[in-house]
Amino acid sequence: MLGEGILKGLAETARNFLGSYVGKDRLTTVQYPEERLPQIEAARNFPFLVYDGPDWQQGMRCVSCLICEKECPPKCISIEKSKDKKPDATGKPQFYPAVFNIDVSVCMSCQICVEVCPFEAIKMDVEFELSTDDRFGGLLWNKERLARSNEYYRQIHPTEAAAVDAHLAEDRAKLEAKSKAAAEAKSSATAMVSAQPASGVAAEK
Amino acid sequence: MSTATEAVRLIPKPTDSHECQLLEVSMGPQHPSTHGVFRMDVALDGERVVKLKPVFGYLHRNHEKIAETESYLGSMPYTDRLDYMCSLTSNWAYALAVEKLAGIQVPERAEYLRVITAELTRLQNHASLIGFLLQDMGASGTPLMYAFREREKILDLFEALTGARMMCNYMRFGGCRVDMPAGWLQQAQKVVDAFPRFLDEYEQLFTENEILMARTQGVGVLSGELAVNAGITGPMLRASGVNYDIRKVDKYGIYERFAFRVPLGDHGDVYDRYMLRMLEMRESVKILQQALRDIPPGPIMDPKTKIRGFRPKAGEAYGRTESPKGELGFYLISDGSSNPYRYRVRPPSLVNLTVLEGMCLGQNVADVMAILGSVDIVMGEVDR
Amino acid sequence: MLEAIKSEIEANVSGCRLEVVPNSSPSGQHSLLIDCERALAVARFLRDAAHLRFDYCSNVTGIDWPGKEIVEKEKIKKLVDGVEQEVEEVRKTQSAGHLEAVYHLYSMEKKHGPVILRMRTKNRSDQTHLPSLTPIWRSAEFQEREIFDLYGIVFDGHPDLRRILMWDGFEDHPMRRDYVEPDDYEYEPTPHDEVLEKSKQHTHGVRAR
C-alpha cells in the first residue's frame, strides 16, 4: 500500500516523542546552564600549571626547561627562563619561569605539553566557560592565571592525580634514599678508609 | 578556487531559441547542504544539470606543509582536524604509516583499543551521515537529531577514554596514549548492545519510506567500472558492487581476527549508498561485540618507542586504512630528521568527488543535494 | 616482485627505461622510476595486463627535491713555485634538482599491490612537464591538479588542468621547499622562532607581550 512506509516512520517518531517523557535514553539533552551533565573525569580543555603548597609562586613545579614550548604543535606557549634559582616547595633551588604565557586562542587542547613534561608541572584543566570579549588580554594567560594548586588537580582528575602523586613520592623517596645511602657510604667509607682500606670497596657497592 | 561574483547568472545558449537559456547557479560555499564551505558551479537547462564543476579550497590551510615543519608527534593532533567527524580513524591511519616507516610493533591490547575506537567512529559517522543526507533532502531535524542523540553516547565514550569528544588525539606510534578508565568497557558494551535497536528504529523510519525511495532510487548512478577507475573507495565503491574493503584486503591491525561481512550494493544509486551504510553499521556492531569480548590485558604502548625525539631512519612508507569515508592513506618520506621530509594525505573525500559531475549530469537540480549528501565529504579533509 | 614486474614491462613496452628506486625503511616499499616518454604505455600495460590488472591508482603525490650543492674535491698536480705539487682543488656545482610525481597503484580485481611509480621532471624551473596519467586512471584527475597547483608540475594531457586549492590569480607554488610566504604579519602574543623574527621586524625589536 502506498504510504505504508511513511506511516511506519510516523509511528516511529510518535514512539520517540512519547518515549521522551518516560525514557532517559530518548531524551538526552539537559537544560544548560541550569542543569549540567556530570563532568567526565578524563575531559581536557586548556593547560594549567601545578603548584605544591600554599604559595603559587614558590610552589610552582615548572623549572622552565622549555620542552613544552618546543614541542607544542601550534606554538602557543611562550616561556622566559629565570636568571636566578629560587627554592621550590621542597626547598631545593630551581630555575623558575620568569614569564609563562599560553595563548589559549591558539591552543588546540592536544595535551602534548602534558605528555612531554618530565616534571608533572603542566596538566589539563576541565573549565570550559571561558568566553571573553578581549581577544588579546582575555585569551593570553600568564602564569598567575595558569597556576592551580595540586589540590585542585586532585579534585578534577582524581585517578590521574593519585598516580602522579604516587610517582612523584616514589621519585622523591628514591632520591632521598640515594642521597642518604651516598652520605652513609661516604661517612662509612671515610671511617673505614682510615681503619681498613680493603672493606671500603664492599661498603660502596 | 575562483571567487563567486554573482550567485546566479544567465548564459545565452548558443542556439537561437529564445525560450531556452542556460542558468548558471553557484551552489555554495555557504549553502547549508554542502557540508562545509564547498561550492559547485552548476549550469542548468530548466531543472536539468548540464554542467557541474566543484570548487575547492575555502578551508585550505596546507596541512601537508605544516606537517613538514612539525615533529612526527606534533602532526598527530592535526590529523584530528582532517576529518573532524572521525578523528580516531585519521589518527590510526597516520600512526599506521609511521609504524610502517619505522618498523614499530603495536601491543595486542592497543590493537584492540584501536579497533574498538575505529568501529565506534564508523558507527557515529554513518549514523550522522544518514541524518545529514535526509536533512539535505528536506527531512529537517528529526533524522539528524535521532542520529546525533546516538552519536552523543559514543562521543561520551570517547571523552571518557581520550579526554576529548571530537579532537581525540589518542593514538601514538606503537600504541595508544592512555588505557581505558575503570568501567569504560561496561559502558561501551552497553552502548554497543543498545545500538542495534536504534538501527532497527532508524530503518523503520526510512527504509520503506516512499518519499525517500522516490527521491533516491535510480538517482546518481555510478557504475562499478567507473568507480574503480576513478579511485572511489569506501561505502560509495561498495554500493556500486565492487568488493573492496581495506580491512579485508590489507588486514591491517588485527582485522583478520573478526568475523564480519562486506555488504555490497547492486545499482550504485543514492539509495544503495544509504542502505549500504545501514548494513555496514550492523557489521561494525558485530566487530565491536567480538572486540569488547576478546580484549586482553597487557601494555598499551611499545616500550621501545620514544615520545620525544622520534627520528625514523631515512626511507618512505605508504600506510592506508579503511576510514568511514574510504581509503585514508598517509605517505611519509623521512630523511632521518625529526620532522618528515614529505607528508602526504590521501584524502578519500576529495577523490570521491571526482565523479560528482558525472553522477549529476542529466539529473534535476534538487537531486544534486541528495547525490552530494550520499558521497559523504568533510571539507576539512577535502581542502586540507 | 618488483623486479619481475620490471622485466615484464621491459619485455612488453618497447624502448622503455626503468629503474628500481630502493627504499631502506622497514616498510620495504620499493618503487619504479619510469621515463616520461613511455609513461603512458607503461601505465596502460600495468592496468590492462590480465595477471597484473593495477586498475586502481590510489594516491598521487608531488615531491620537491631542490638542487643541492655538490662539492667535488680533486687532486691536481700543479707547478707551485717551480716545484710540482699535488694541490687539492674544490669545485662547487649546483645540481638542478627535480620535481617528482609518485603514483601508488593497487589492484582491486586481484587485490594486490602496491606498485609505486615515480616520474621526474628535468629541473624545477622551466622543464617541469610530465605526462598526465589521468587518461589511464581518472582518480589522478584531482590529485594531479593539486600537484600542479602546489608544486607546479605541468601534466601534459590532463583534461582540466587548473588550480584546485589556491585561487586562480595566485602565483607561485606553496608546497615547494623554497616557497617564501608573503609578509602578512599579524600581532601574535606568543611569537616563536620564525614568527619571532618576523615580529621583531614589525615591532622594532620589542617582543610583543
Side-chain angles (χ1 to χ4, degrees):
Chain A
M1 186 191 83
L2 188 71
E4 204 184 328
I6 295 175
L7 287 178
K8 270 188 187 171
L10 285 174
E12 199 47 58
T13 43
R15 187 185 351 210
N16 271 290
F17 172 62
L18 298 172
S20 67
Y21 286 97
V22 280
K24 192 81 191 100
D25 61 330
R26 288 194 199 275
L27 185 70
T28 47
T29 48
V30 295
Q31 297 296 322
Y32 178 84
E34 289 83 23
E35 217 182 320
R36 279 156 194 267
L37 289 169
Q39 184 71 50
I40 291 178
E41 199 192 316
R44 61 167 195 256
N45 201 7
F46 291 122
F48 67 90
L49 296 172
V50 189
Y51 65 87
D52 293 308
D55 179 16
W56 70 268
Q57 266 170 322
Q58 197 206 349
M60 196 157 277
R61 285 182 190 168
C62 177
V63 298
S64 189
C65 67
L66 308 180
I67 289 176
C68 56
E69 186 187 65
K70 221 173 105 207
E71 295 283 331
C72 174
K75 309 267 180 267
C76 69
I77 307 177
S78 131
I79 308 174
E80 247 168 53
K81 197 173 177 170
S82 65
K83 303 240 162 33
D84 57 328
K85 285 187 177 185
K86 271 187 191 169
D88 67 354
T90 55
K92 198 175 153 201
Q94 293 277 24
F95 287 110
Y96 61 95
V99 175
F100 196 116
N101 284 346
I102 295 184
D103 185 356
V104 291
S105 68
V106 173
C107 175
M108 57 184 187
S109 313
C110 66
Q111 208 178 16
I112 282 178
C113 51
V114 178
E115 271 169 82
V116 296
C117 180
F119 302 97
E120 312 280 5
I122 188 164
K123 295 289 167 199
M124 297 307 272
D125 208 340
V126 292
E127 201 187 334
F128 56 89
E129 286 152 320
L130 302 164
S131 57
T132 166
D133 53 6
D134 180 7
R135 185 250 177 265
F136 291 117
L139 294 176
L140 181 67
W141 292 359
N142 58 17
K143 69 177 171 172
E144 190 175 355
R145 169 74 178 75
L146 289 165
R148 290 275 186 279
S149 68
N150 197 22
E151 282 69 45
Y152 175 77
Y153 178 44
R154 282 187 200 131
Q155 198 188 322
I156 57 170
H157 297 304
T159 326
E160 201 188 292
V164 167
D165 282 347
H167 163 71
L168 284 177
E170 196 185 317
D171 275 5
R172 214 168 293 138
K174 245 188 225 164
L175 206 72
E176 262 166 37
K178 212 174 154 190
S179 58
K180 214 170 151 190
E184 262 174 30
K186 211 177 167 190
S187 61
S188 67
T190 44
M192 286 200 187
V193 164
S194 54
Q196 242 178 346
S199 63
V201 184
E204 256 173 62
K205 273 183 190 168
Chain B
M1 185 176 130
S2 58
T3 40
T5 42
E6 308 143 87
V8 176
R9 194 155 34 126
L10 284 170
I11 315 166
K13 219 183 173 188
T15 58
D16 48 6
S17 116
H18 283 291
E19 58 265 285
C20 198
Q21 271 185 319
L22 286 186
L23 181 71
E24 192 174 304
V25 182
S26 173
M27 290 173 100
Q30 275 90 17
H31 197 277
S33 65
T34 50
H35 298 234
V37 273
F38 173 58
R39 191 160 75 87
M40 290 170 283
D41 264 339
V42 190
L44 298 174
D45 179 7
E47 282 271 304
R48 230 160 33 83
V49 176
V50 292
K51 189 195 97 182
L52 185 145
K53 292 284 173 208
V55 181
F56 315 97
Y58 295 95
L59 212 57
H60 180 54
R61 61 227 180 249
N62 223 340
H63 172 72
E64 294 175 7
K65 185 96 178 175
I66 295 170
E68 283 175 13
T69 60
E70 290 286 345
S71 66
Y72 281 87
L73 175 66
S75 288
M76 187 59 91
Y78 286 106
T79 62
D80 292 339
R81 285 143 179 92
L82 278 174
D83 179 354
Y84 41 78
M85 295 288 282
C86 327
S87 65
L88 283 156
T89 47
S90 309
N91 281 182
W92 193 0
Y94 178 50
L96 192 87
V98 176
E99 279 151 14
K100 268 195 175 174
L101 182 70
I104 301 169
Q105 292 297 316
V106 183
E108 211 176 14
R109 187 177 173 84
E111 292 277 26
Y112 272 92
L113 277 169
R114 286 178 177 192
V115 169
I116 292 168
T117 51
E119 293 307 319
L120 283 171
T121 306
R122 203 179 309 276
L123 286 183
Q124 57 98 358
N125 178 72
H126 284 359
S128 26
L129 185 265
I130 292 170
F132 281 125
L133 174 64
L134 270 290
Q135 168 108 339
D136 292 349
M137 292 196 296
S140 52
T142 312
L144 186 62
M145 288 305 124
Y146 288 176
F148 266 37
R149 187 185 64 203
E150 295 310 306
R151 177 170 177 259
E152 199 60 23
K153 293 169 190 165
I154 294 174
L155 292 189
D156 279 345
L157 283 178
F158 288 166
E159 190 177 1
L161 178 63
T162 70
R165 304 168 73 76
M166 289 172 78
M167 304 297 138
C168 296
N169 183 22
Y170 179 56
M171 307 211 181
R172 292 288 175 266
F173 318 131
C176 298
R177 188 166 56 77
V178 285
D179 206 343
M180 48 175 87
W184 192 86
L185 204 60
Q186 288 73 28
Q187 206 188 336
Q189 187 74 50
K190 228 162 121 195
V191 171
V192 172
D193 286 342
F195 210 82
R197 198 192 75 166
F198 160 70
L199 285 180
D200 291 341
E201 290 187 7
Y202 216 40
E203 273 205 72
Q204 183 97 6
L205 192 56
F206 311 127
T207 304
E208 288 173 45
N209 187 308
E210 285 85 356
I211 302 173
L212 178 76
M213 287 203 263
R215 288 288 312 269
T216 56
Q217 286 183 343
V219 170
V221 177
L222 176 66
S223 74
E225 222 169 287
L226 177 63
V228 171
N229 193 256
I232 309 302
T233 42
M236 223 178 129
L237 173 76
R238 294 191 285 277
S240 296
V242 182
N243 186 358
Y244 196 75
D245 187 322
I246 297 168
R247 290 176 292 175
K248 287 276 189 198
V249 176
D250 278 13
K251 301 188 177 63
Y252 64 92
I254 47 164
Y255 271 116
E256 80 269 14
R257 294 189 196 175
F258 303 110
F260 67 102
R261 295 187 304 164
V262 180
L264 295 177
D266 278 335
H267 310 92
D269 55 6
V270 175
Y271 189 79
D272 272 14
R273 278 173 225 141
Y274 149 76
M275 201 61 216
L276 194 106
R277 290 194 170 94
M278 278 289 184
L279 296 173
E280 232 172 55
M281 281 193 273
R282 293 191 188 272
E283 297 303 317
S284 286
V285 170
K286 271 193 216 165
I287 298 175
L288 276 167
Q289 292 286 14
Q290 296 168 47
L292 291 171
R293 188 191 64 209
D294 296 341
I295 182 165
I300 53 154
M301 267 298 282
D302 177 41
K304 281 176 283 180
T305 313
K306 289 185 291 181
I307 287 264
R308 283 183 54 222
F310 177 74
R311 286 163 194 267
K313 271 185 273 172
E316 58 175 62
Y318 180 64
R320 56 178 198 158
T321 59
E322 180 76 28
S323 93
K325 309 263 188 295
E327 176 188 325
L328 177 64
F330 281 83
Y331 177 49
L332 301 166
I333 300 181
S334 161
D335 57 356
S337 67
S338 61
N339 36 3
Y341 182 81
R342 179 75 172 99
Y343 167 104
R344 155 88 181 155
V345 187
R346 190 258 184 217
S349 302
L350 174 73
V351 181
N352 284 1
L353 284 174
T354 311
V355 288
L356 182 67
E357 182 173 19
M359 289 193 293
C360 292
L361 288 186
Q363 305 279 356
N364 286 342
V365 63
D367 294 334
V368 173
M369 284 352 322
I371 294 168
L372 180 71
S374 72
V375 177
D376 192 3
I377 56 165
V378 157
M379 293 320 285
E381 190 176 76
V382 174
D383 291 342
R384 279 158 296 132
Chain C
M1 182 197 166
L2 200 64
E3 283 294 333
I5 290 175
K6 181 183 173 236
S7 48
E8 220 170 304
I9 298 171
E10 277 166 341
N12 284 284
V13 182
S14 61
C16 71
R17 300 182 308 277
L18 301 173
E19 195 188 313
V20 173
V21 181
N23 175 8
S24 55
S25 96
S27 71
Q29 293 170 340
H30 310 294
S31 46
L32 266 184
L33 181 68
I34 58 177
D35 60 325
C36 307
E37 290 79 40
R38 295 275 181 280
L40 270 175
V42 171
R44 191 167 287 122
F45 171 74
L46 284 174
R47 187 191 65 180
D48 295 338
H51 60 293
L52 295 175
R53 289 292 287 142
F54 286 102
D55 49 8
Y56 165 48
C57 172
S58 156
N59 180 30
V60 188
T61 312
I63 308 168
D64 183 16
W65 299 98
K68 281 182 194 141
E69 199 169 66
I70 304 166
V71 182
E72 281 175 274
K73 284 183 185 168
E74 211 175 348
K75 283 185 178 166
I76 301 171
K77 282 184 181 164
K78 247 187 187 173
L79 279 175
V80 182
D81 303 330
V83 190
E84 197 179 45
Q85 274 186 344
E86 260 193 7
V87 176
E88 212 169 67
E89 206 166 77
V90 180
R91 276 188 300 173
K92 281 182 185 170
T93 43
Q94 187 78 22
S95 72
H98 56 263
L99 300 165
E100 194 171 49
V102 185
Y103 295 75
H104 285 76
L105 310 179
Y106 287 87
S107 171
M108 282 199 184
E109 195 181 302
K110 304 274 177 201
K111 307 231 176 345
H112 57 124
V115 160
I116 305 165
L117 302 182
R118 313 181 94 92
M119 288 193 287
R120 286 175 187 167
T121 62
K122 293 210 175 63
N123 60 26
R124 299 170 69 246
S125 48
D126 51 345
Q127 287 175 302
T128 55
H129 286 254
L130 285 181
S132 166
L133 298 187
T134 307
I136 312 290
W137 295 287
R138 242 196 105 184
S139 54
E141 186 181 333
F142 284 173
Q143 304 190 59
E144 282 181 350
R145 262 179 79 183
E146 192 186 315
I147 295 169
F148 166 72
D149 186 359
L150 303 180
Y151 283 92
I153 300 180
V154 182
F155 288 95
D156 298 325
H158 191 284
D160 184 22
L161 200 63
R162 290 177 293 136
R163 284 195 178 268
I164 185 167
L165 294 172
M166 309 305 285
W167 54 99
D168 288 335
F170 188 80
E171 282 164 22
D172 210 347
H173 306 289
M175 276 300 279
R176 287 205 185 185
R177 294 190 84 83
D178 50 6
Y179 172 74
V180 183
E181 57 181 44
D183 189 13
D184 52 354
Y185 173 79
E186 282 176 45
Y187 169 71
E188 179 104 15
T190 56
H192 277 267
D193 313 331
E194 311 107 73
V195 184
L196 180 62
E197 289 306 309
K198 216 190 246 183
S199 77
K200 274 182 188 161
Q201 289 165 18
H202 286 265
T203 55
H204 308 290
V206 185
R207 192 170 177 180
R209 291 227 173 272

